[in-house]
Amino acid sequence: MTKPLISISNLQKYYGSYHALRDVSVEIGSGEFFSLLGPSGCGKTTLLRTIAGFESYESGALRIDGRDMAGVPANKRPTNMVFQSYAIFPHLSVAENVGFGLRRRTDLDGAAKVRRGAEALAMVGLDGYGDRAAHALSGGQRQRVALARALVLEPKVLLLDEPLSALDKKMREQMQSELRRLQRHIGITFILVTHDQEEALTMSDRIAVMFEGRIAQLAAPQTLYSRPATRDVAEFIGTMSFLPAEVRDGQAEVAGLGAMPAPNGLSGSCVAGVRPEGMSIAETGADGPLAAAEIVESAYFGDMTSYRARLSGTEALVEISMKNGPGVAVLEPGTQTSLRWSPEALVFFPA
Ligand code: ATP
């Protein structure tokens, strides 16, 4: 992480008796694309709104750029928020919408305001749209206007609350890469709230995964995916199959796979998790660690085939994804085969 811009320590937030943020501590870097990811109700919007100054908190501290934000109202913070519903004014033009936040600024003359507005529109790819009526824009264009309206105020931190969730899949994917490019270009801190794990993985420098008001893991996308800290995180991000395991004296006995070294600090009943691409169907004559298995289900997706297989000696099923290509046969349910795996692909959790 670069120099911390936002520093949150031991934040506790209640709605009445409901404990919405439980001892949340996190530092967010200057120029970082940071995401808050988690299921509905985990507290990610509450944390974002707390940073924005729309929510108070019972204890803990929130500092932005070295300054304690206690008692600082939302409009005096170096943050700006883009909402899920675009909240643009349909009866105003695009330029009027974008310039709205600048209207009371006495330090800028009319020409400077117009120039700033045009620059913000250019940033979001709406060059020349200033005179259009806001009500006549598509969903994606409206979201860009909302972005430009936030950017024109030159915040240090842009807070984005599920900004793409109202868009269709194609437009959402396009806006994801545009937002990422924009963030890199202007270099300010973006904090994105999303419940969409793919969105978080593709866009973020780091992700905080939240459950029930707590941060369960804070890491870069690759680390979250390949080394989830808890089984909850592993299940929330991507697909993972779990095999029962017994650990004693640094050695694990994993159902269907056999003995292998166990990570430090584990003992007793555990589970070993493996991602679908962590195992593959072995070609005939392959060596290395192999496990006998029966194909239970197969689903053909064109570029790849997804299998469920039962390893011999256990009832647990593993999911495997195999890339298709010339000479790769799709195996039918009932086929006896062997799976290639490597100990590095396994992640252990307490049972
Ligand atoms: P979603 O993705 O559904 O928006 P979230 O993770 O953003 O979920 P929050 O909106 O932060 O979740 O809400 C966290 C919890 O706090 C939820 O259980 C919610 O019902 C509760 N909550 C949120 N706002 C209030 C409020 N103003 N008064 C009482 N409870 C609230």
Side-chain angles (χ1 to χ4, degrees):
M1 189 188 64
T2 51
K3 185 167 91 45
L5 179 67
I6 297 181
S7 189
I8 293 171
S9 45
N10 308 104
L11 211 66
Q12 307 275 4
K13 158 88 188 160
Y14 288 84
Y15 291 113
S17 62
Y18 183 76
H19 201 172
L21 294 179
R22 299 166 184 243
D23 203 29
V24 170
S25 295
V26 56
E27 291 197 325
I28 299 171
S30 181
E32 189 171 24
F33 199 123
F34 191 90
S35 293
L36 298 168
L37 173 69
S40 183
C42 70
K44 50 198 189 298
T45 299
T46 299
L47 183 54
L48 195 78
R49 290 175 56 82
T50 305
I51 296 170
F54 299 133
E55 299 287 350
S56 59
Y57 45 90
E58 275 63 47
S59 64
L62 164 64
R63 304 176 77 81
I64 303 181
D65 214 8
R67 195 170 147 222
D68 192 342
M69 288 291 119
V72 179
N75 62 355
K76 294 278 188 292
R77 296 189 181 194
T79 55
N80 213 326
M81 188 122 159
V82 179
F83 295 93
Q84 179 175 358
S85 57
Y86 321 122
I88 60 171
F89 305 115
H91 56 285
L92 298 183
S93 72
V94 167
E96 286 165 338
N97 263 284
V98 174
F100 194 78
L102 295 177
R103 72 199 185 288
R104 294 225 177 89
R105 289 276 294 266
T106 48
D107 55 326
L108 296 172
D109 64 19
K113 289 180 187 178
V114 169
R115 196 177 57 245
R116 286 262 292 263
E119 281 166 6
L121 278 174
M123 271 185 222
V124 300
L126 287 182
D127 224 348
Y129 277 68
D131 293 332
R132 294 258 191 119
H135 65 81
L137 299 175
S138 71
Q141 289 168 334
R142 280 183 210 202
Q143 192 52 287
R144 282 169 223 243
V145 173
L147 260 176
R149 199 173 58 184
L151 291 172
V152 81
L153 302 173
E154 299 184 331
K156 288 194 169 125
V157 186
L158 193 67
L159 305 169
L160 302 128
D161 189 2
E162 306 247 10
L164 310 180
S165 61
L167 304 176
D168 65 45
K169 187 167 182 289
K170 205 153 174 219
M171 178 54 77
R172 196 161 66 230
E173 285 171 1
Q174 188 188 332
M175 284 295 287
Q176 282 170 1
S177 54
E178 279 187 25
L179 261 185
R180 184 69 180 118
R181 229 177 304 130
L182 178 69
Q183 189 271 338
R184 289 234 171 94
H185 177 67
I186 57 180
I188 65 169
T189 304
F190 277 32
I191 307 179
L192 172 77
V193 158
T194 180
H195 62 265
D196 179 337
Q197 38 130 345
E198 265 179 38
E199 187 164 293
L201 290 175
T202 54
M203 296 174 80
S204 320
D205 293 314
R206 287 190 309 153
I207 302 170
V209 182
M210 294 183 70
F211 295 110
E212 296 175 350
R214 283 197 181 85
I215 295 180
Q217 188 171 6
L218 198 174
Q222 297 92 321
T223 309
L224 270 186
Y225 186 81
S226 60
R227 295 284 126 193
T230 67
R231 188 169 168 167
D232 282 342
V233 173
E235 285 180 311
F236 189 74
I237 294 178
T239 301
M240 189 172 254
S241 310
F242 299 99
L243 296 165
E246 267 309 305
V247 177
R248 196 153 293 119
D249 303 327
Q251 274 291 109
E253 182 67 31
V254 180
L257 299 181
M260 66 194 76
N264 292 336
L266 276 183
S267 104
S269 291
C270 295
V271 284
V274 60
R275 298 283 187 201
E277 65 281 7
M279 283 191 167
S280 58
I281 290 162
E283 56 287 14
T284 346
D287 53 7
L290 295 176
E294 179 185 335
I295 302 294
V296 174
E297 221 175 280
S298 65
Y300 177 74
F301 288 97
D303 60 334
M304 48 86 66
T305 303
S306 166
Y307 293 102
R308 273 145 81 79
R310 184 177 291 113
L311 298 176
S312 71
T314 174
E315 284 306 301
L317 297 178
V318 285
E319 289 203 29
I320 308 152
S321 57
M322 290 288 291
K323 268 205 163 0
N324 289 329
V328 178
V330 174
L331 304 182
E332 294 300 320
T335 306
Q336 303 294 327
T337 184
S338 42
L339 303 182
R340 180 203 278 284
W341 57 282
S342 78
E344 300 86 72
L346 298 182
V347 192
F348 287 84
F349 306 102

